[in-house]
Amino acid sequence: MLWVLLLLLLFIFQAATILICEYKRPAKSVAWLSILFIFPIIGFIMYVFIAREYVRRKRVHVLASPYDDKREFQGATSKVGSVSQNGVDSFLAGEQRLREWLRHVPHAPITAWNRVEVLTNADVAYEAMLQEIRKAQHHIHFEFYTIRDDAIGLRFQQALLEKAKEGVIVRVTYDGIGSHSLSKAYTETMKRAGIAVQPFLKPLIAFFDKRLNYRNHRKIVVVDGLVGFVGGINIGNEYVGGDPKLGFWRDTHLMLQGDSVYDLQRTFLTDWFFVSGERLVGHSYYPSHSVQESSFVQVISSGPDVRWDAIQEMYFAGLIAAKQRIWMTTPYFIPDPGIIMALKSAAISGVDVRIILPFKADSLIVQYASRSFLQELLQVGVRFYLYRKGFIHAKVIIVDDIMATSGTANVDLRSFFSNFELNAVMFDEKVIRRLESDFEMDLKECTEVRLDEFERRSRSEKRKERIARLLSPLF
């Protein structure tokens, strides 16, 4: 009987540890307790190695924030400053709560002098990136969650090799888990050409350093500190329809010029410092620009290395500010309780809430988890549409005519609390209209989910949804 008592005490200790460590995330606690119940001891070992709260690691927190105390680009251009504040105050007139929240996001100023181009789908985005890479004179900063060693990957590799041969400084970083299939030959070829290449945590290192659950999901290209790219597109054949299972791949990327590029640069240099220990400063990384267009942009980064869940809170602030519409596209829909309540409140109050999700899935468990939220939201008037042309991977939210956001973050718990993410928030009628046009075109490729039909789904489907939802905080 003694060994039974010892096992019981061990189980209680493990459960208590999870509850204490995850007290801020009840859903995550339930998910890990379920795993612990099904797989005693093994479940706790899994928790220790892949779910430890990242921000508590003081060494990592310090390494991840080398540029927080001083904006290295201050003085690079006379255009940054009060102009953006006065202009956005006018654009967000009547939205005091939203305006004040946006003002207080750490290290994310609303910049005024920008040119924004929406790049719909990878074929357009890749050509724009390659064109700017070929123009590089001083440096190219290249950061992606996934880089494939395939035809698309080789195109970018060749472009970077050519610029390195010309004497341009090229730095490349990629996520060790998202790019786990990237061959050593691919990276070694670049290194031999003088390109600095660093992974953001190799899978084995991440496992033993208890950070497997935290991934750098950012996609950043910065050329000469003057042109930047951010969005949902990685480097690989599937993004141009090369995956036979998913087929056509619908995505959204942004090309930025002007003040906002300084914030893309700062984010890249922060990540680069973490992976290489190299702190890069100087005017050459934040050069003066000549953009004359007044397009308001705020670049917001978030990650488990800080205590401010900036992108999740930006989404929430935007949703509760909506008066006429919320149009959302996301490939993964696993919202936290705050986002659910914001969507419900908006729909009940008469806001036109429409959400586009994929019909085809690249992950069945995530798809079932996403669909587990549909019924309760359909019941209050939220409208869901399933994209059938292929796989939709775009991450876009449009709120009324006052703001739109696009970038790397999905509407899911992983993007909100576990991944390193990066979004651009835009306060520009022209950009909003363009994203609105893309959304309307996507609707033509969708079928709407009807509440009465959805409620008639089989018990088996409902059971799969419940299980997936229970485990959703882990995906």
Side-chain angles (χ1 to χ4, degrees):
M1 290 297 294
L2 180 60
W3 66 270
V4 175
L5 179 61
L6 291 174
L7 286 176
L8 179 61
L9 290 174
L10 178 62
F11 182 85
I12 292 173
F13 168 78
Q14 294 172 351
T17 300
I18 292 173
L19 287 171
I20 292 170
C21 292
E22 302 297 339
Y23 74 95
K24 290 183 179 179
R25 307 268 188 267
K28 191 174 178 181
S29 297
V30 172
W32 278 109
L33 288 173
S34 300
I35 291 175
L36 179 64
F37 182 78
I38 299 170
F39 304 107
I41 301 178
I42 295 175
F44 186 72
I45 293 172
M46 291 171 61
Y47 173 79
V48 169
F49 275 100
I50 73 176
R52 184 177 176 180
E53 191 176 353
Y54 197 99
V55 77
R56 291 181 182 174
R57 299 176 56 83
K58 292 182 180 180
R59 177 176 173 271
V60 171
H61 182 66
V62 171
L63 286 177
S65 308
Y67 300 98
D68 283 358
D69 295 332
K70 181 180 179 182
R71 296 303 295 265
E72 298 292 340
F73 60 76
Q74 282 183 348
T77 171
S78 61
K79 293 176 181 177
V80 177
S82 61
V83 177
S84 62
Q85 191 59 67
N86 295 336
V88 82
D89 282 354
S90 176
F91 192 80
L92 294 177
E95 300 297 338
Q96 183 178 356
R97 288 177 63 189
L98 176 61
R99 189 172 66 243
E100 288 302 314
W101 185 90
L102 293 169
R103 255 185 215 163
H104 287 87
V105 181
H107 317 295
I110 299 175
T111 59
W113 300 97
N114 297 284
R115 182 181 299 120
V116 181
E117 184 176 351
V118 178
L119 305 172
T120 303
N121 297 328
D123 52 350
V124 175
Y126 286 160
E127 289 306 317
M129 289 183 209
L130 288 166
Q131 183 176 345
E132 294 303 323
I133 286 171
R134 294 185 191 108
K135 295 178 185 177
Q137 299 295 313
H138 182 263
H139 67 270
I140 299 167
H141 290 157
F142 195 82
E143 174 176 350
F144 284 89
Y145 175 66
T146 301
I147 300 176
R148 304 281 189 205
D149 187 357
D150 56 21
I152 294 297
L154 291 173
R155 280 188 69 191
F156 277 93
Q157 182 195 54
Q158 187 59 39
L160 296 174
L161 290 172
E162 290 174 2
K163 297 311 294 187
K165 187 176 180 181
E166 294 174 13
V168 173
I169 301 167
V170 182
R171 298 182 177 93
V172 176
T173 182
Y174 57 91
D175 186 78
I177 297 171
S179 301
H180 67 276
S181 62
L182 187 63
S183 69
K184 185 176 181 181
Y186 185 97
T187 56
E188 288 301 318
T189 298
M190 292 195 289
K191 289 178 181 178
R192 285 195 299 269
I195 296 174
V197 182
Q198 292 285 350
F200 191 94
L201 299 178
K202 295 179 180 179
L204 188 62
I205 294 173
F207 179 79
F208 285 107
D209 202 23
K210 306 179 183 69
R211 287 176 282 178
L212 190 63
N213 200 42
Y214 304 106
R215 306 168 192 173
N216 191 327
H217 197 239
R218 294 167 181 156
K219 297 96 178 169
I220 303 171
V221 177
V222 177
V223 178
D224 291 339
L226 296 172
V227 181
F229 296 85
V230 65
I233 300 170
N234 286 292
I235 305 299
N237 287 346
E238 65 263 43
Y239 295 88
V240 289
D243 187 324
K245 174 189 172 184
L246 298 175
F248 176 77
W249 189 289
R250 167 73 180 89
D251 221 319
T252 297
H253 222 71
L254 302 171
M255 182 168 77
L256 304 177
Q257 294 171 277
D259 297 344
S260 56
V261 179
Y262 299 145
D263 287 287
L264 292 184
Q265 184 79 292
R266 175 184 173 276
T267 303
F268 177 89
L269 295 181
T270 299
D271 291 344
W272 185 255
F273 181 82
F274 174 75
V275 300
S276 71
E278 182 181 15
R279 190 172 190 269
L280 302 169
V281 297
H283 180 78
S284 58
Y285 295 109
Y286 301 101
S288 298
H289 65 79
S290 58
V291 173
Q292 299 296 319
E293 296 178 27
S294 183
S295 181
F296 299 104
V297 178
Q298 184 176 28
V299 174
I300 298 180
S301 62
S302 67
D305 57 328
V306 294
R307 297 185 182 277
W308 178 284
D309 300 315
I311 290 179
Q312 185 268 351
E313 294 181 28
M314 177 268 290
Y315 281 0
F316 179 80
L319 297 180
I320 64 173
K323 295 182 176 62
Q324 285 86 39
R325 67 170 174 183
I326 297 169
W327 289 4
M328 177 188 297
T329 303
T330 180
Y332 314 117
F333 183 72
I334 305 175
D336 71 305
I339 298 296
I340 294 172
M341 186 56 65
L343 291 170
K344 282 185 174 181
S345 299
I348 291 170
S349 62
V351 174
D352 176 20
V353 183
R354 306 186 193 192
I355 302 175
I356 296 178
L357 303 176
F359 175 76
K360 295 182 179 180
D362 64 341
S363 169
L364 278 177
I365 191 167
V366 174
Q367 184 183 53
Y368 279 117
S370 296
R371 294 187 180 182
S372 74
F373 293 92
L374 267 57
Q375 185 167 322
E376 62 183 301
L377 291 168
L378 286 167
Q379 289 171 342
V380 297
V382 176
R383 302 174 70 181
F384 286 92
Y385 300 83
L386 301 181
Y387 186 82
R388 289 179 174 266
K389 184 177 179 180
F391 180 65
I392 193 161
H393 190 252
K395 307 125 183 354
V396 176
I397 299 176
I398 303 170
V399 176
D400 296 346
D401 294 324
I402 60 173
M403 68 172 277
T405 181
S406 185
T408 70
N410 301 301
V411 183
D412 68 358
L413 302 179
R414 171 165 290 284
S415 286
F416 291 160
F417 308 121
S418 297
N419 287 347
F420 294 86
E421 304 281 5
L422 188 67
N423 267 45
V425 188
M426 294 150 288
F427 313 92
D428 182 295
E429 185 175 353
K430 181 181 176 182
V431 175
I432 292 171
R433 291 284 173 253
R434 169 57 195 277
L435 292 170
E436 175 188 279
S437 175
D438 281 359
F439 189 92
E440 291 173 338
M441 291 296 292
D442 291 337
L443 283 178
K444 294 177 182 179
E445 305 293 343
C446 295
T447 55
E448 185 170 1
V449 181
R450 302 292 180 182
L451 177 60
D452 55 344
E453 296 176 0
F454 191 74
E455 288 178 330
R456 293 198 296 270
R457 66 199 187 282
S458 68
R459 290 183 179 179
S460 174
E461 291 294 295
K462 293 178 181 178
R463 187 161 49 248
K464 291 174 184 175
E465 289 172 9
R466 293 190 190 102
I467 294 171
R469 183 163 175 169
L470 179 66
L471 299 177
S472 64
L474 311 182
F475 295 93

